[in-house]
């Protein structure tokens, strides 16, 4: 499952960040394998999604979220 496929209220663990132009930046922001992420909500039209990672909230486009493999906790 990817981060794009999650719904509000889910808690997931990051398994892998696939190769993409933003991979290094996403990993610098804390999206590294093994990190727990809480899905907060999404915009009215579904894009972007809001996630809570470590101690801050992050808004992410669904196109970018499709590059992050996760497992539900």
């Amino acid at each position: 499952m990817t981060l794009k496929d999650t719904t509000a209220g889910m808690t997931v663990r990051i398994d892998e960040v696939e190769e993409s132009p933003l991979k290094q930046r996403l990993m610098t922001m804390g999206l590294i394998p093994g990190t727990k992420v809480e899905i907060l909500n999404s915009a009215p039209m579904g894009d972007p999604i809001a996630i809570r990672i470590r101690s801050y909230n992050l808004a992410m486009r669904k196109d970018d979220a499709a590059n992050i493999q996760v497992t539900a906790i």
Side-chain angles (χ1 to χ4, degrees):
M1 163 171 42
T2 66
L3 195 57
K4 178 182 178 178
D5 303 324
T6 59
T7 58
M10 289 181 74
T11 301
V12 296
R13 184 186 69 240
I14 297 174
D15 293 329
E16 177 187 2
V17 180
E18 297 174 358
E19 288 298 326
S20 73
L22 291 178
K23 179 179 180 176
Q24 187 63 42
R25 184 162 186 199
L26 293 173
M27 292 184 76
T28 301
M29 289 189 293
L31 293 163
I32 57 174
T35 304
K36 290 188 345 184
V37 176
E38 180 184 351
I39 313 306
L40 299 176
N41 55 19
S42 61
M45 298 300 285
D47 197 25
I49 60 173
I51 62 173
R52 178 178 313 243
I53 181 164
R54 299 179 191 247
S55 62
Y56 69 96
N57 296 344
L58 176 68
M60 175 180 286
R61 295 182 313 171
K62 284 199 170 185
D63 288 344
D64 297 332
N67 294 322
I68 301 171
Q69 297 292 325
V70 297
T71 301
I73 297 179

